[in-house]
Amino acid sequence: MYTQKPVTRAGRSVRVASVAGLALLAGLLSGAGSAADENAEPAGLAATCGTEDGGEAAAAASVALSVDVPATGEVDRPVQPGPVTLTLTLARSGLAGLLPEGTEAVVSRAALTVRVAQNGASAEAPWQLTAPSTPLGPDDDLVLVHTGEVPHVTFGAAGDVDFSLGEFTVELLTATATGAEAPPTLATLTCRLNDGEDGHLATTRVTDGSGTRPSGTPATPTDPAGGAGRAERQDIAVEPAAAADGDEEPDFCPVEPPVGELDASEAPQPPPGDPVRITVIPTGGTFSCANALGLANVHKLNGAMIINDPDAPALISVLATQRVATRATNAQGGPYTRIDSLANLDLPDAESTFLTFGFQPVTAKVSFENGPITISTGSYGVPPNRVSFSTAYFTQSLRLHDVKVNGTPLDVGNDCRTSKPFKVVLDGGASYTNVALGGILEGEVDIPAFTGCGTGGEDLNPLFTASISGPGNRVFMNQAPTCIPANPTRSYCPPPLPTLPGSES
């Protein structure tokens, strides 16, 4: 059995299966995972959230904001707060006047304005966070867990810096949209901290580089007394976490648009009846990109592997809504809607070390050869029998090379690969809303036998076939919402990280 010792991640034991796990990356993303830094203890605050129009409807809210802010920093060097988690709990009793009747689930975007103050000057740092689809029970409070990366801040003088939260807005969007465009907004809430809540989050001590604050009078702000400094001042500069050097715009999607042909053959097809109308979008689809994290279970090794490295993730390149298939509600066979999007993944070689027979260390590299990915989302039927679906389908081959056994090279040749491309079909059902919002997809992979392995008359095909090939290998992927570079202020830019499947406590 080619496995490594179990590693613990987010309170669960995950067994890493190396070469076999790499074989099961299933064209998603590759690389060993690493545990994320633990967030600081969340700040618990009480707030009230209501609509922007000042209507009477409002909901009592509790706010838990968790973020790592460095305890110290240096002048003219960026201070980067860590990933932020904002848990907003809205009382069920106050939601009736805020959301349309019949709302079953929502997706949420939170826009926080964090005040950064030092030496009498201050600036506002925009923190944009997102929450995945969250069900709304008939009696339970609505708990929205937002996450995201935030801008760094640079200071031109030494002194203690205070980070504090004030008023913020939360946009609630429908979680049942079937298109790849931005989902409709259900409500936009303004949340204000209750009296007695100061919103203080953290304090950072900025020094002149010697590790101590200089003596003397703190820098005098140029604003009028009692006024707040502006972000344009050199004393406090707030910049996007993914900003490029100089004045260039951030490159949120440093990947090429996908190429290839759509193949929706693995998506649910329409029930028999009238023909389905196929519409090809003239623009060729909307270019976007996204992050995804996942797990690949290895049936033969009774183990799993984390897919993608949360600290340096690869990006999926997407052309959303390239083609639409529709049939009217009153047509024979009933209504049918399917939206097809094209995606590509450019995977680098992956390297891994594993143990043969539980004790022999083996290192190998894997090259992935992936076909274009078709992501199809849609629905058919009428309520209450309406069925929503989502699939991601492509083919993949893999090649093994640079194999070493206990440090000694094992020549497997230049063409040690799966004997044929194999199908990867991932299903999200109704949990994967659309390409724009993402969600969890899962499937089962059947890896074919290996061929071309070995040189000098040595046949190593049975070794790799026995240890890797076969059916029953589960793959789980959680795709985060997509970033649309052409419209970054209305999409999820820079691309956020999703939760690793199975990491929930």
Side-chain angles (χ1 to χ4, degrees):
M1 187 174 293
Y2 298 3
T3 58
Q4 292 179 334
K5 294 180 180 180
V7 297
T8 300
R9 181 180 178 85
R12 291 194 177 188
S13 177
V14 179
R15 186 176 300 274
V16 179
S18 301
V19 165
L22 291 171
L24 287 178
L25 292 188
L28 301 178
L29 301 169
S30 68
S34 61
D37 294 335
E38 293 295 327
N39 287 331
E41 288 298 316
L45 303 168
T48 302
C49 298
T51 54
E52 289 182 321
D53 58 13
E56 296 182 359
S62 62
V63 180
L65 187 61
S66 177
V67 56
D68 276 339
V69 177
T72 60
E74 293 184 11
V75 171
D76 295 328
R77 300 192 67 175
V79 173
Q80 177 66 69
V84 178
T85 299
L86 169 71
T87 302
L88 178 66
T89 303
L90 297 171
R92 187 67 180 87
S93 58
L95 293 177
L98 299 177
L99 294 174
E101 184 177 354
T103 300
E104 297 180 351
V106 298
V107 172
S108 178
R109 294 192 291 220
L112 284 63
T113 300
V114 174
R115 184 173 182 267
V116 184
Q118 182 200 42
N119 299 336
S122 67
E124 292 183 345
W127 289 7
Q128 305 290 330
L129 311 174
T130 61
S133 177
T134 303
L136 178 61
D139 302 313
D140 298 334
D141 295 342
L142 178 61
V143 181
L144 302 168
V145 182
H146 306 79
T147 57
E149 301 287 342
V150 300
H152 64 251
V153 188
T154 305
F155 303 94
D160 287 348
V161 178
D162 288 323
F163 293 80
S164 59
L165 172 67
E167 182 179 294
F168 61 95
T169 61
V170 176
E171 187 180 9
L172 304 179
L173 306 100
T174 179
T176 57
T178 57
E181 299 299 326
T185 299
L186 299 173
T188 300
L189 309 181
T190 299
C191 298
R192 298 179 176 89
L193 301 183
N194 293 349
D195 292 342
E197 301 281 13
D198 64 7
H200 177 72
L201 301 177
T203 298
T204 295
R205 170 158 291 188
V206 174
T207 70
D208 60 3
S210 63
T212 59
R213 288 181 55 183
S215 59
T217 305
T220 302
T222 58
D223 287 345
R230 298 180 62 85
E232 290 79 13
R233 293 182 51 184
Q234 294 302 306
D235 291 334
I236 305 175
V238 178
E239 300 184 23
D245 293 334
D247 297 326
E248 297 180 2
E249 290 295 323
D251 185 5
F252 291 123
C253 292
V255 287
E256 293 296 323
V259 295
E261 298 295 328
L262 292 169
D263 180 359
S265 61
E266 295 296 332
Q269 300 302 304
D274 290 342
V276 170
R277 178 182 178 182
I278 304 295
T279 302
V280 178
I281 305 303
T283 60
T286 302
F287 174 60
S288 60
C289 64
N291 282 310
L293 300 177
L295 290 174
N297 290 341
V298 187
H299 178 66
K300 285 186 175 180
L301 302 179
N302 191 29
M305 182 177 184
I306 295 173
I307 301 172
N308 205 8
D309 183 354
D311 293 330
L315 288 171
I316 300 175
S317 172
V318 180
L319 280 174
T321 315
Q322 277 204 327
R323 183 176 65 192
V324 179
T326 57
R327 186 166 66 190
T329 300
N330 57 357
Q332 182 180 359
Y336 176 85
T337 301
R338 191 187 74 240
I339 298 174
D340 297 330
S341 302
L342 184 69
N344 278 172
L345 292 169
D346 185 11
L347 295 177
D349 288 355
E351 183 174 4
S352 186
T353 299
F354 56 96
L355 299 178
T356 61
F357 308 110
F359 65 89
Q360 185 81 317
V362 176
T363 299
K365 290 184 179 180
V366 181
S367 296
F368 300 93
E369 299 170 3
N370 302 325
I373 305 168
T374 299
I375 303 175
S376 299
T377 59
S379 64
Y380 58 88
V382 295
N385 298 317
R386 181 179 177 181
V387 177
S388 297
F389 63 83
S390 55
T391 61
Y393 163 70
F394 55 98
T395 59
Q396 179 187 70
S397 297
L398 57 91
R399 182 174 68 89
L400 302 179
H401 57 99
D402 292 341
V403 179
K404 295 180 181 179
V405 179
N406 201 22
T408 302
L410 175 64
D411 191 356
V412 299
N414 297 323
D415 199 31
C416 178
R417 62 173 62 244
T418 47
S419 57
K420 60 182 180 180
F422 55 92
K423 287 185 178 181
V424 181
V425 183
L426 304 178
D427 177 26
S431 63
Y432 183 97
T433 308
N434 52 43
V435 173
L437 294 177
I440 294 180
L441 295 155
E442 59 181 278
E444 192 169 288
V445 177
D446 187 346
I447 300 176
F450 279 78
T451 185
C453 303
T455 59
E458 184 178 19
D459 184 5
L460 299 178
N461 295 326
L463 171 65
F464 293 109
T465 297
S467 60
I468 299 175
S469 304
N473 307 288
R474 301 292 297 175
V475 177
F476 304 85
M477 183 188 74
N478 188 8
Q479 179 213 309
T482 57
C483 164
I484 304 174
N487 196 4
T489 60
R490 294 186 59 87
S491 61
Y492 299 87
C493 297
L497 277 177
T499 302
L500 180 70
S503 66
E504 300 84 356
S505 57

